[in-house]
Amino acid sequence: MDRVFQRLRNLDAYPKINEDFYSRTFSGGLITLISSIVMLFLFFSELRLYLHTVTETKLVVDTSRGGTLRINFDVTFPAVPCSVLTLDAMDISGEQHHDIKHDIVKKRIDAHGNVVAVRQDGIGGPQIEKPLQRHGGRLEHNEKYCGSCYGAEVTDDDCCNSCDEVREAYRKKGWGMTNPDLIDQCKREGFVQKVKEEEGEGCNVYGFLEVNKVAGNFHFSPGKGFYQSNIHVNDLLAISKEGYNISHRINKLAFGDHFPGVVNPLDGAQWFQDAPDGMYQYFIKVVPTIYTDIRGHTIQSNQFSVTEHFRSAEPGRPHSLPGVYFFYDLSPIKVTSKEEHSSFLHFMTNICAIVGGDYNSLSLSLSHCYVLSGCHNHI
């Protein structure tokens, strides 16, 4: 056993110096103190980096297919009343949604930006008491109501039981609503009166859309949009004498859920109209993003970049295309971001490098003093 211990002692790469061959000095203590402070500073700096998460980002080809895209928005129109503001969406697959009201909230605001009223958009209008029947008489007891579409019916069985349904039937025919007062449903619902009461007001509209995960657009416009002689117009031009001011402020626009570090470039953006009627366009490139936090929780969302352009009304068509349009397209490249710590072995390697480096610096300083100054008599 003694022979084994002797062999282990012979393997010692750090032989000890007898205390008779060295002495402690002020300069040696100063160097030791400075080295210790530097060593502690580097240690805590390395520990902070180890505890701090880093985000590793990669670009991969997006191979996902199908699915939906959630669009969260909050937009304020200071000069477009809520009663005429509509939201439409369509995509390249041919799917169209006109006058979207589900999951949408509108706030009426006055000229100073104060909220006048808040309402959740819904389907249809208020119930009509004793509405007008097709034959011209009022609805009798137990008689099933089927309101006239005023020439916009496709078949004899079509019914329009509210002002919105008449407007929708007109839109499908490519007709504008020239005089809502002549339409019983609109007259009884007070549609024209409501529009006139909100003159000078603005509207804050917010909510979300669920659309197909393909290129498309959604837009805010005054009135229901339809095509007439291959020109896109809206059904309320007849009751607007001066056109529409589509100045707006985008309080929020996001494609998907929020995740740490995301920047939505249109949040807080605003534009003021100083030209006649026109269409303000945003061209958006949506980049699918998968974010994984340090606990392994995954968020599937999107980032986007944007360019913008104002298209003024064409000569001879002063009322064409009023509104704010968002055209979006999907990038074929997907971003994956993952939070992670540095490995423990990497951390220990750096700590050993710090301790060994400072120790070697201290040894070199003492050796330099020994050779040049003969300080071996003092150290």
Side-chain angles (χ1 to χ4, degrees):
M1 184 64 69
D2 291 339
R3 186 174 300 175
V4 173
F5 288 153
Q6 181 62 35
R7 290 181 178 178
L8 288 176
R9 281 194 292 269
N10 292 335
L11 293 175
D12 187 3
Y14 306 97
K16 311 304 182 289
I17 302 176
N18 195 298
E19 292 186 1
D20 295 337
F21 298 99
Y22 67 87
S23 62
R24 304 181 186 278
T25 64
F26 174 78
S27 59
L30 184 62
I31 293 174
T32 302
L33 179 62
I34 295 174
S35 299
S36 299
I37 293 174
V38 172
M39 195 182 307
L40 286 173
F41 173 77
L42 295 176
F43 170 77
F44 284 111
S45 175
E46 191 64 31
L47 180 63
R48 182 181 65 85
L49 291 175
Y50 171 70
L51 297 177
H52 179 71
T53 58
V54 295
T55 303
E56 182 182 359
T57 302
K58 295 180 180 179
L59 298 178
V60 297
V61 175
D62 186 10
T63 58
S64 62
R65 294 179 295 177
T68 59
L69 183 65
R70 184 184 176 108
I71 305 173
N72 304 295
F73 60 86
D74 182 348
V75 186
T76 299
F77 294 86
V80 181
C82 288
S83 58
V84 302
L85 186 65
T86 62
L87 171 62
D88 301 333
M90 57 192 69
D91 58 48
I92 59 174
S93 69
E95 187 168 334
Q96 300 184 15
H97 301 277
H98 296 282
D99 195 13
I100 300 171
K101 296 184 177 182
H102 289 294
D103 305 311
I104 305 298
V105 178
K106 291 180 179 178
K107 291 182 181 179
R108 292 171 53 192
I109 56 176
D110 60 21
H112 303 289
N114 301 316
V115 177
V116 177
V118 180
R119 74 167 185 263
Q120 173 80 39
D121 261 12
I123 300 299
Q127 185 69 30
I128 304 174
E129 184 180 355
K130 287 188 70 62
L132 187 67
Q133 189 57 280
R134 280 183 185 274
H135 50 73
R138 293 298 169 190
L139 188 66
E140 300 300 332
H141 183 65
N142 293 331
E143 184 179 2
K144 184 178 179 181
Y145 176 57
C146 180
S148 172
C149 296
Y150 298 87
E153 298 93 343
V154 178
T155 66
D156 293 337
D157 296 329
D158 288 347
C159 301
C160 294
N161 297 338
S162 68
C163 184
D164 273 351
E165 291 181 3
V166 175
R167 291 175 63 197
E168 181 64 18
Y170 269 47
R171 185 195 66 78
K172 291 179 179 178
K173 283 281 189 178
W175 299 348
M177 186 174 287
T178 56
N179 193 348
D181 278 334
L182 298 180
I183 297 175
D184 185 69
Q185 292 90 326
C186 295
K187 184 178 180 180
R188 285 185 163 270
E189 291 176 15
F191 176 76
V192 176
Q193 181 181 0
K194 181 169 62 174
V195 172
K196 291 180 178 179
E197 286 177 354
E198 295 185 13
E199 284 185 358
E201 291 185 2
C203 187
N204 171 236
V205 54
Y206 62 91
F208 67 89
L209 298 174
E210 289 281 352
V211 297
N212 294 326
K213 199 174 180 181
V214 295
N217 79 81
F218 65 98
H219 56 269
F220 300 91
S221 59
K224 292 179 181 289
F226 65 94
Y227 284 90
Q228 188 178 70
S229 300
N230 294 323
I231 302 173
H232 186 224
V233 294
N234 68 64
D235 69 336
L236 298 181
L237 294 179
I239 61 176
S240 176
K241 306 302 181 184
E242 301 178 354
Y244 294 96
N245 183 344
I246 57 170
S247 298
H248 59 277
R249 173 184 172 84
I250 302 175
N251 305 305
K252 176 185 178 182
L253 180 65
F255 290 79
D257 297 329
H258 175 82
F259 61 91
V262 65
V263 176
N264 297 316
L266 285 179
D267 287 0
Q270 54 187 346
W271 178 79
F272 297 99
Q273 179 173 324
D274 56 3
D277 268 343
M279 176 173 65
Y280 203 81
Q281 303 168 312
Y282 293 95
F283 299 93
I284 297 171
K285 178 66 74 172
V286 179
V287 181
T289 302
I290 297 179
Y291 187 89
T292 306
D293 62 20
I294 195 65
R295 294 181 296 275
H297 177 65
T298 298
I299 301 174
Q300 297 200 20
S301 187
N302 303 275
Q303 304 177 71
F304 68 92
S305 60
V306 62
T307 57
E308 46 196 278
H309 172 69
F310 176 69
R311 177 182 173 186
S312 59
E314 300 177 12
R317 300 172 183 172
H319 290 296
S320 63
L321 302 173
V324 179
Y325 287 67
F326 298 85
F327 299 90
Y328 57 88
D329 193 9
L330 295 171
S331 170
I333 301 299
K334 177 168 59 179
V335 176
T336 61
S337 298
K338 184 177 181 181
E339 284 186 348
E340 54 186 16
H341 287 301
S342 299
S343 68
F344 181 73
L345 292 178
H346 181 74
F347 169 69
M348 291 303 300
T349 300
N350 289 347
I351 294 301
C352 292
I354 290 170
V355 175
D358 286 342
Y359 181 81
N360 289 336
S361 298
L362 175 60
S363 300
L364 288 174
S365 298
L366 294 177
S367 300
H368 182 73
C369 178
Y370 176 87
V371 172
L372 296 181
S373 306
C375 60
H376 60 282
N377 295 325
H378 307 284
I379 299 179

